[in-house]
Amino acid sequence: MGHRNWKKISGIIIVSGAILLFSSLLSAAPEEAIKIDRFISPEVCGGCHSEIFEQWKNSMHHLSHKDPVYSRAAQFFRKGLTDEGEIKEAESCVKCHTPVGNRTGFPMKVSDDLSKTPEIATQGIQCDYCHSAESITRIHNNGLVLKPGHGEDDPGVKLGPFDDAAPEFHEARYSKLHTEAEICGTCHDVKHVAFGTDLETTYTEWKNSPYHSKDPKKNIPCQGCHMFQKPGIPATGSTPRPENPGSAADGSMDRPHIFTHFFVGANSYVPGLSGDKGKAGMALERLQNAATLSIDTSKIKEKKLFVTIANTGAGHSIPTGVADLRQVWLEITIKNKDNKPLFRMGALNDKQELPENTIIFRTVFGDGKGNKVINIAKARQILKDNRIKAKGKVVEIISLPDVPEKDSQVTVRLLYRGMPPEILKMIPGEPFEPLPVVEMAKVQVKI
Ligand code: HEC
Ligand code: HEC
Ligand code: HEC
Ligand code: HEC
Ligand code: HEC
């Protein structure tokens, strides 16, 4: 009898143990879905923060979900995969590119019917997402821990740089996290979810650079450049980064510095698609104040030319971000005194393609067996990374076929584009136009 009872009790223990384990697994799940109506639309924030709203509108954060280059690339990369790890990675893009949707339950994957994405989630990385972020769990693959309010009736606490803000609409609180590079770094370092390959390392590049310092006076976080930029003020490592006095909300008190929200990097094409010429222009200003070139012709008699590329303005490598898709390259031309070309390297052909021997600064991913891959879902190794580190220099030695005639002119340009046409052409659907080529730097010398 006692025996039967014991069996019963132990059965209950096992069952309740399993329930406990199950429920603790649920509560330990770091990313329980948050109800979508807890998030407040950016337009509502813009009702009082009108200047900040106008800056953020058409930024790459606003467009992170709608960006056709991203969204079409994501669909293309997802197609036809069979390997489980590759599929896992190819489905994961929405975690950063559609973060409000992903945290509220839809979309969870790239292959979900994205036309059903709730309108607020289509607005990308937005005010209430960043300003509800309390902490981070990891500095890669978006580890932001959010505590949004409960919609417009109970907006909750908005976290930011001030310790004395007392608005009526929402509560406000100082957040150290918002003043540090880590809030950016959690999305701007991307690791393959299955293979661990470093796909994007902007934060780590910054962390290992001279811009990162334990001394707060010397430390220049992402915000120190990217949230000081405004039209005409590129705010790079080689140009002034003056404060931007003003008010944070319409009619609120004047403050010595209001962090700008243009979030401009190097992308001039996608903001331009939305007709935002201002942001496209700011991307050019940023690129044009990122690097310098110099030429050493002292070994020209030995048919050698030395070109030095210095990263003087970026707080990370050039290029950074999706550095496997970006192209930064050297175009070299030598002409004699009658303007007759004697030598060319890195010149685009009429299909906007670059010749084989072009010196391109970028990362190249491999499949684990040494073969180059373009689809990041297949990236199991880094085959090459010759990018120019923050405050670093690279010297390229160019071998010439002949000693150039006296009085020849050497022109070297450093050029940037977001993606080469060879990759854009692979993406099914309406063809993309070639992305703009931006001159980052130029130098000319006479021999
Ligand atoms: C990618 C994250 C992000 C997004 C999106 C974002 N902000 Fe911010 N915002 C920040 C950070 C970070 C700071 C503080 C920077 C610092 O202290 O170094 C800030 C500062 C502020 C401040 C304080 C005033 C100032 O600018 O210095 C206000 C107000 C503000 N944001 C409102 C908004 C509104 C409104 C939107 C949407 C239109 C928005 N933010 C979108 C990250 C973001
Ligand atoms: C009814 C007007 C109003 C609306 C709507 C509004 N804010 Fe504010 N907000 C203010 C005012 C006023 C301040 C204080 C400005 C100051 O002290 O300089 C402020 C301050 C802030 C700060 C700075 C907090 C700090 O302590 O550093 C952030 C961040 C912020 N708002 C974000 C938002 C976000 C996100 C939304 C939309 C979800 C929003 N605000 C909607 C009026 C508003
Ligand atoms: C010292 C100033 C400075 C700091 C600090 C800085 N950046 Fe930049 N950033 C630049 C410049 C200049 C460019 C344009 C050149 C380039 O693309 O690298 C740029 C470009 C970018 C781009 C576009 C890259 C591309 O080629 O597509 C991203 C993304 C970016 N920064 C993010 C960040 C993040 C995240 C941080 C902090 C971890 C950061 N930046 C810190 C100056 C800075
Ligand atoms: C929730 C994730 C997330 C956070 C947090 C975040 N970013 Fe971004 N950021 C992105 C994504 C995704 C894109 C690219 C969108 C695209 O190109 O489609 C982007 C784009 C950018 C660009 C434009 C890049 C270009 O090529 O022009 C800059 C600059 C940038 N972020 C800076 C920052 C800074 C500074 C912070 C911190 C204040 C920050 N980001 C925080 C996800 C994030
Ligand atoms: C952990 C966050 C994160 C995840 C996950 C992520 N991205 Fe991004 N993505 C970014 C950031 C940050 C940028 C901006 C860097 C830059 O501009 O170079 C970006 C930019 C891009 C761009 C450049 C867009 C343009 O207009 O030039 C493409 C394409 C892209 N991502 C594709 C993908 C695909 C495909 C996936 C999924 C396989 C993915 N991303 C997953 C953070 C992320």
Side-chain angles (χ1 to χ4, degrees):
M1 161 124 184
H3 184 71
R4 277 184 66 155
N5 258 348
W6 168 240
K7 254 188 149 174
K8 226 183 197 167
I9 293 165
S10 64
I12 290 166
I13 290 171
I14 290 168
V15 169
S16 55
I19 289 171
L20 258 176
L21 182 72
F22 184 61
S23 56
S24 72
L25 271 178
L26 269 184
S27 61
E31 283 157 2
E32 233 173 293
I34 296 171
K35 281 217 171 84
I36 193 153
D37 57 12
R38 288 180 63 180
F39 285 96
I40 299 170
S41 149
E43 276 84 10
V44 174
C45 311
C48 298
H49 299 287
S50 59
E51 224 173 300
I52 293 176
F53 175 80
E54 285 305 322
Q55 295 171 350
W56 166 83
K57 202 176 141 196
N58 296 326
S59 69
M60 289 316 299
H61 283 160
H62 179 199
L63 301 173
S64 64
H65 169 83
K66 292 181 186 159
D67 172 359
V69 178
Y70 150 70
S71 57
R72 288 176 56 187
Q75 295 304 326
F76 168 58
F77 287 161
R78 172 64 189 87
K79 274 214 182 83
L81 298 178
T82 50
D83 178 276
E84 211 177 297
E86 293 176 6
I87 292 174
K88 222 172 145 197
E89 171 60 27
E91 294 284 26
S92 74
C93 323
V94 290
K95 200 175 174 64
C96 295
H97 285 267
T98 319
V100 168
N102 191 250
R103 288 300 273 112
T104 55
F106 189 89
M108 298 308 283
K109 325 193 281 296
V110 163
S111 64
D112 282 338
D113 178 0
L114 297 182
S115 68
K116 298 208 170 79
T117 306
E119 162 25 62
I120 187 167
T122 65
Q123 303 226 44
I125 301 150
Q126 48 195 277
C127 323
D128 215 8
Y129 189 82
C130 283
H131 288 292
S132 299
E134 279 203 326
S135 56
I136 45 177
T137 54
R138 54 171 184 268
I139 310 185
H140 59 87
N141 292 359
N142 191 354
L144 289 172
V145 177
L146 302 189
K147 202 178 169 194
H150 292 86
E152 281 176 60
D153 296 337
D154 177 13
V157 187
K158 304 306 162 210
L159 301 157
F162 306 140
D163 58 7
D164 60 349
E168 276 169 30
F169 176 66
H170 58 76
E171 288 171 61
R173 198 169 75 223
Y174 170 75
S175 156
K176 191 162 174 283
L177 175 67
H178 283 71
T179 67
E180 294 172 336
E182 285 69 23
I183 193 172
C184 317
T186 191
C187 292
H188 282 267
D189 259 15
V190 188
K191 273 186 199 298
H192 194 294
V193 289
F195 312 145
T197 320
D198 287 317
L199 301 175
E200 285 185 39
T201 52
T202 305
Y203 168 77
T204 304
E205 293 157 21
W206 170 83
K207 198 173 173 222
N208 296 333
S209 83
Y211 293 100
H212 170 221
S213 167
K214 296 241 152 57
D215 177 356
K217 284 202 193 81
K218 289 195 191 124
N219 190 50
I220 305 174
C222 320
Q223 293 91 325
C225 290
H226 288 280
M227 297 185 80
F228 277 69
Q229 185 173 12
K230 54 186 185 180
I233 300 187
T236 68
S238 58
T239 57
R241 298 180 300 274
E243 289 191 324
N244 172 48
S247 62
D250 305 341
S252 71
M253 66 162 110
D254 280 341
R255 294 193 180 263
H257 178 64
I258 303 299
F259 288 89
T260 62
H261 282 67
F262 295 99
F263 299 114
V264 166
N267 203 326
S268 60
Y269 173 70
V270 176
L273 284 181
S274 309
D276 201 320
K277 294 217 177 76
K279 276 189 199 73
M282 287 171 72
L284 304 192
E285 287 182 341
R286 182 157 281 280
L287 281 170
Q288 287 157 356
N289 290 287
T292 57
L293 285 173
S294 55
I295 310 177
D296 173 358
T297 57
S298 60
K299 293 274 184 326
I300 200 86
K301 291 249 161 68
E302 292 156 41
K303 299 192 276 188
K304 288 211 172 355
L305 197 64
F306 297 85
V307 177
T308 304
I309 310 98
N311 176 346
T312 51
H316 34 70
S317 297
I318 294 179
T320 189
V322 289
D324 55 317
L325 301 174
R326 309 293 187 222
Q327 288 188 317
V328 172
W329 77 95
L330 286 180
E331 185 206 67
I332 302 165
T333 13
I334 305 180
K335 287 180 176 172
N336 72 6
K337 62 177 188 307
D338 305 321
N339 226 17
K340 191 183 142 221
L342 305 175
F343 176 78
R344 283 200 112 176
M345 191 181 189
L348 292 170
N349 68 13
D350 50 10
K351 288 188 198 142
Q352 300 292 304
E353 291 161 353
L354 286 168
E356 273 304 321
N357 67 347
T358 307
I359 298 168
I360 308 179
F361 303 100
R362 59 174 167 179
T363 48
V364 177
F365 295 127
D367 64 356
K369 295 178 201 131
N371 306 305
K372 183 186 162 172
V373 293
I374 286 162
N375 187 345
I376 47 174
K378 298 185 179 186
R380 285 173 167 83
Q381 62 183 149
I382 295 168
L383 291 178
K384 176 181 159 183
D385 180 356
N386 65 338
R387 296 175 299 147
I388 310 134
K389 293 196 172 107
K391 289 202 174 161
K393 277 182 187 163
V394 169
V395 182
E396 293 291 342
I397 306 168
I398 318 294
S399 297
L400 303 173
D402 308 293
V403 179
E405 300 161 24
K406 198 175 172 290
D407 289 336
S408 294
Q409 189 160 55
V410 185
T411 308
V412 181
R413 300 200 298 157
L414 187 69
L415 299 168
Y416 174 98
R417 66 179 172 190
M419 225 186 266
E422 300 92 290
I423 298 181
L424 287 170
K425 256 187 231 147
M426 291 178 195
I427 302 175
E430 197 185 322
F432 282 101
E433 56 190 306
L435 301 189
V437 174
V438 180
E439 184 183 288
M440 295 179 70
K442 179 178 170 174
V443 62
Q444 272 183 324
V445 292
K446 248 203 186 122
I447 298 171

